Amino acid sequence: GAVVSQHPSRVICKSGTSVKIECRSLDFQATTMFWYRQFPKQSLMLMATSNEGSKATYEQGVEKDKFLINHASLTLSTLTVTSAHPEDSSFYICSAHKGGGDRVPNYGYTFGSGTRLTVV
Amino acid sequence: AQTVTQSQPEMSVQEAETVTLSCTYDTSESDYYLFWYKQPPSRQMILVIRQEAYKQQNATENRFSVNFQKAAKSFSLKISDSQLGDAAMYFCAYRKSGGGNKLTFGTGTQLKVEL
């Protein structure tokens, strides 16, 4: 089945530094990647949608210059939190879409295992 | 804009009993998909079941089944013979038809399974 690898699983960084989170689709080509943020005991909030080779589309209220998303290949998308601050501490989850349309067998949205970011 | 509402922040069920989690949604689309995801303490999102809006038959997956009422825009999840491993946060989600469209999640229901 479709597997998405997300790294790192946990990261602690100092305030003002940048952190990169990687999301790889291991056995399929991901035409679209989604990046979510989840606060404790809350729902997943979509931050941005990225399609391979094009600029990401950010949700309202998400700072594109702070959360840089790169989707340079069909198997890799990265989220870079720039100049991180304690309020950026959260759980970040990626989700990859296999493509091929809804009616294709085994289409789907596969989630990574998430990254817990702590900014100190 | 599409919205998904889960009105039960927490639910409890005795082991081996049945529990139903509620979900309602709002959309002007006619072709869409509905999902239930499970998020255990590991926080890995696991797809439990999905329903295509164009199908009248309710989806089932082993102990999990849904009651899809399209006119009422209701999509509840029934868990039969509850097990300790079912304890998790459950999210209802909506996506309009078309590959690459985003998922909209509800606020979640924390399910506790008691001995």
Side-chain angles (χ1 to χ4, degrees):
Chain A
V3 178
V4 172
S5 175
Q6 183 173 346
H7 291 281
S9 58
R10 293 173 180 263
V11 58
I12 301 173
C13 71
K14 291 184 177 180
S15 186
T17 62
S18 296
V19 174
K20 180 183 285 188
I21 301 170
E22 289 190 351
C23 187
R24 293 181 183 272
S25 55
L26 299 184
D27 51 1
F28 68 98
Q29 293 183 328
T31 56
T32 307
M33 288 278 200
F34 302 90
W35 287 94
Y36 295 87
R37 184 173 181 175
Q38 185 180 30
F39 290 106
K41 297 187 178 181
Q42 293 190 24
S43 188
L44 282 72
M45 302 302 297
L46 181 65
M47 299 175 65
T49 302
S50 72
N51 293 294
E52 184 264 340
S54 60
K55 290 184 178 180
T57 301
Y58 290 81
E59 295 297 301
Q60 191 172 8
V62 177
E63 299 176 60
K64 63 178 68 174
D65 293 331
K66 181 167 188 62
F67 299 100
L68 301 179
I69 291 172
N70 184 284
H71 192 171
S73 78
L74 285 171
T75 59
L76 174 65
S77 178
T78 60
L79 166 66
T80 302
V81 183
T82 63
S83 187
H85 291 284
E87 57 265 31
D88 298 325
S89 298
S90 188
F91 192 69
Y92 293 88
I93 309 175
C94 67
S95 175
H97 174 60
K98 186 176 181 179
D102 287 343
R103 311 294 193 241
V104 174
N106 297 322
Y107 91 96
Y109 292 61
T110 306
F111 286 84
S113 53
T115 297
R116 183 181 302 278
L117 171 63
T118 303
V119 185
V120 298
Chain B
Q2 294 82 14
T3 58
V4 179
T5 302
Q6 292 179 251
S7 59
Q8 306 155 314
E10 289 187 1
M11 290 284 284
S12 293
V13 63
Q14 296 284 333
E15 195 177 18
E17 297 296 308
T18 296
V19 65
T20 298
L21 308 184
S22 301
C23 173
T24 58
Y25 59 95
D26 187 27
T27 183
S28 58
E29 303 286 338
S30 59
D31 194 8
Y32 51 87
Y33 295 80
L34 296 165
F35 307 84
W36 279 98
Y37 282 91
K38 169 184 177 182
Q39 188 180 43
S42 68
R43 302 190 80 171
Q44 173 73 58
M45 295 291 285
I46 301 167
L47 177 64
V48 175
I49 198 165
R50 96 171 184 236
Q51 174 78 43
E52 292 89 339
Y54 66 88
K55 291 186 177 179
Q56 291 186 341
Q57 187 172 7
N58 288 325
T60 61
E61 287 288 341
N62 301 313
R63 298 183 294 108
F64 300 88
S65 62
V66 299
N67 184 1
F68 173 49
Q69 301 290 326
K70 191 172 184 179
K73 295 181 181 174
S74 171
F75 182 61
S76 61
L77 174 69
K78 185 171 79 172
I79 305 174
S80 304
D81 186 24
S82 296
Q83 301 174 0
L84 294 177
D86 295 334
M89 180 73 87
Y90 286 81
F91 292 101
C92 178
Y94 162 98
R95 179 176 69 80
K96 71 177 183 180
S97 181
N101 285 317
K102 65 181 182 182
L103 286 164
T104 299
F105 288 91
T107 51
T109 297
Q110 181 69 51
L111 178 66
K112 297 181 181 179
V113 180
E114 299 168 341
L115 293 171

